[in-house]
Amino acid sequence: MSSLPAPLPADHGARVVVRYHGVPEPYASGQQRRDLALLGLRSAADGSAWALQEPFGAFTWFPVNDHPSDEALYDVAITVPKGWAGVAHGTYRGRTEMGRTATYHWKSADPVACYVTLFTVDRYRMYRAKGPRGIPITYWVRREDRWDLPVARRLPELLRWMEQKAGPYPFPSAGLVVTSRSGMETQQMITMGDDFLRPEVVLHELAHHWFGNSVSPRTWRDVWLNEGFAMYFEIQWTADHSPGSMDDHMAEIRSREKAMRKEMGSPGDYRRDWFAGANVYYGPALMLHEIRKRVGDERFFAMTRAWVQEHRNTSQDRASFTAWVNQHTGEDFTELIDTWLDSRASPRGS
Ligand SMILES: [Zn+2]
C-alpha cells in the first residue's frame, strides 16, 4: 500500500486511481451452505470464469470495501478472445472488437452493492428480448445449455407479474446468465445455475431486485429483509400458478419453518458460519403473511410497493422497517415483528 502524497481537504471530492493485477483465487468461507463454501472469483482450466460473493468475496477480484451497505456505480469492460463473452452486472452497452479480441461494456446507473456484482466469462451466446414498458433484456447462454433458454425467456412474463404486485421494476434493464452452481440476484443480470433454473427460482431472484438490490440491507443481520420478501413473492407466484390458495401454501411451509428454526436458530440471530440458512427465508415470509392477514391484501401490497418506492437506493434495517410498518398501518407491529425474528420457538400464527 502506498500513502497519499498530501492530506485531502475534508468534504471535497477526490479522484483515486487504483491499479492492480493478479490471478484471483476463491476464498474458503467455512459456510455451512455448500453452495457458499467457496466465495469470490473462480476460473476453470478451459478459460471460463464466474464469481459468486454473498455475503462477501468481491475482494478476491477487485479492491472494494466488501460490505453490503457500501454501494457504488460501476463501468465494467471485459476483454476476451473472440468467440467468448464477458458478462457483468448493469446494462449491456455493446461490444467493440480489436484484432482477435472483443471487449464487452457494462454500465450501472443505480448504485450496486458489491455482493450483487457479477463477472463471468464463457462461450456465451446473447439473445435479446423486451420486458414490460420496453425494458431491454439480454440472455447469455452457452450452446450446451440452450435447453435452458425456454425458462430464461419467461423473464418478461415474470417481470410483469412482479410489477403488478410490487410496483415498477427499479432498474433500466434486466437479464439472465446461465452459469455457476447456484441462483443469485446479481444486479440487472441474474446468475442461474443450470440445475436451479426453474421459473419460481427466477422469480425469487427477480424479486430481490426490489427487495435487496434496490432497498439493501444495512448489515447482514438484516438479510431476512432480502430473503423474507423474495421468499414471500416466490410462494405467492407458486400459489397463483398451482392448485391451493396462498393460505394453503403458507400452512405447508409452517411445519418446515418450525424444524428450521430449531436447527438454525431465530432469523434475527445472525450466525456468521450459517449465512442465509433456510431460517431467514421461511420465518420472515410467515411474518409478512401475518401482517397481511391483519391489514388486508390491498393495504399490504400498497405498503409493500411504497416500501420500495420510498426507499429506493437506500440501506434499511429492522428498526427502520418496523417504524415504517407501524407508521403506514397506524398499528403497532413491533411485538409481532420482534417475536417472529427473535423467538427460539416458532410463534403461533393468527
Ligand atoms: Zn434469495
Side-chain angles (χ1 to χ4, degrees):
M1 278 301 253
S2 52
S3 55
L4 294 170
L8 294 173
D11 301 325
H12 279 74
R15 183 183 164 90
V16 178
V17 178
V18 181
R19 289 183 203 283
Y20 69 102
H21 64 93
V23 181
E25 290 203 10
Y27 172 74
S29 70
Q31 291 291 328
Q32 301 265 1
R33 257 181 70 163
R34 274 200 297 181
D35 59 340
L36 304 182
L38 278 182
L39 292 168
L41 187 68
R42 282 190 249 185
S43 51
D46 68 354
S48 64
W50 59 276
L52 181 79
Q53 53 233 336
E54 191 188 25
F56 51 79
F59 72 86
T60 62
W61 57 282
F62 66 95
V64 63
N65 176 24
D66 207 334
H67 190 278
S69 68
D70 193 354
E71 303 201 2
L73 297 173
Y74 289 81
D75 283 301
V76 180
I78 305 173
T79 302
V80 292
K82 276 185 185 164
W84 293 69
V87 182
H89 54 280
T91 299
Y92 178 51
R93 299 293 292 265
R95 71 198 273 274
T96 47
E97 290 186 2
M98 209 168 84
R100 291 181 183 172
T101 64
T103 301
Y104 288 76
H105 302 274
W106 300 84
K107 192 178 183 67
S108 35
D110 298 273
V112 189
C114 52
Y115 78 96
V116 283
T117 57
L118 165 67
F119 173 91
T120 178
V121 167
D122 214 319
R123 294 181 180 275
Y124 296 117
R125 291 183 171 194
M126 197 248 304
Y127 304 83
R128 286 185 191 272
K130 280 254 187 289
R133 299 177 287 109
I135 295 169
I137 294 174
T138 56
Y139 309 117
W140 302 78
V141 181
R142 295 179 308 174
R143 205 179 136 72
E144 56 264 44
D145 295 325
R146 63 190 179 280
W147 317 112
D148 294 324
L149 252 179
V151 180
R153 284 195 188 281
R154 293 185 68 173
L155 207 62
E157 165 205 332
L158 297 169
L159 263 171
R160 256 188 299 279
W161 185 91
M162 265 312 289
E163 286 208 332
Q164 277 166 15
K165 295 277 189 267
Y169 175 68
F171 299 100
S173 72
L176 190 152
V177 56
V178 181
T179 183
S180 87
R181 300 290 168 272
S182 189
M184 185 62 203
E185 63 268 31
T186 33
Q187 198 153 304
Q188 296 171 252
M189 183 59 60
I190 292 167
T191 309
M192 292 297 298
D194 178 50
D195 41 351
F196 276 75
L197 197 55
R198 296 186 299 279
E200 67 273 24
V201 185
V202 179
L203 190 280
H204 177 110
E205 307 309 344
L206 209 49
H208 275 308
H209 281 69
W210 284 255
F211 308 100
N213 295 8
S214 186
V215 184
S216 306
R218 199 180 306 280
T219 73
W220 283 130
R221 205 167 278 283
D222 310 303
V223 66
W224 59 270
L225 261 175
N226 288 15
E227 299 306 342
F229 271 113
M231 195 67 214
Y232 194 67
F233 281 94
E234 178 187 332
I235 299 165
Q236 180 68 67
W237 186 88
T238 307
D240 285 4
H241 294 83
S242 63
S245 67
M246 184 62 175
D247 282 338
D248 297 337
H249 284 264
M250 293 311 289
E252 206 184 296
I253 71 159
R254 259 199 86 84
S255 53
R256 273 190 270 166
E257 198 271 335
K258 275 186 192 143
M260 286 162 193
R261 194 181 285 260
K262 209 175 251 173
E263 189 190 347
M264 302 174 192
S266 60
D269 180 20
Y270 176 65
R271 280 185 57 180
R272 192 182 276 262
D273 62 329
W274 211 330
F275 180 76
N279 59 336
V280 302
Y281 292 69
Y282 288 82
L286 284 160
M287 176 191 83
L288 292 171
H289 198 55
E290 290 300 319
I291 297 173
R292 177 176 171 181
K293 283 198 278 188
R294 283 253 294 267
V295 302
D297 287 5
E298 204 174 306
R299 281 173 74 202
F300 176 78
F301 284 108
M303 184 170 81
T304 306
R305 281 191 288 273
W307 169 252
V308 180
Q309 295 308 311
E310 289 176 27
H311 299 100
R312 207 172 157 174
N313 294 336
T314 66
S315 302
Q316 300 297 325
D317 58 16
R318 183 201 300 211
S320 64
F321 178 73
T322 306
W324 194 86
V325 171
N326 291 347
Q327 185 209 331
H328 244 259
T329 57
E331 288 181 52
D332 190 356
F333 280 96
T334 313
E335 199 187 324
L336 183 145
I337 292 169
D338 286 347
T339 307
W340 275 96
L341 294 180
D342 296 332
S343 175
R344 296 291 301 167
S346 198
R348 238 189 286 234
S350 56

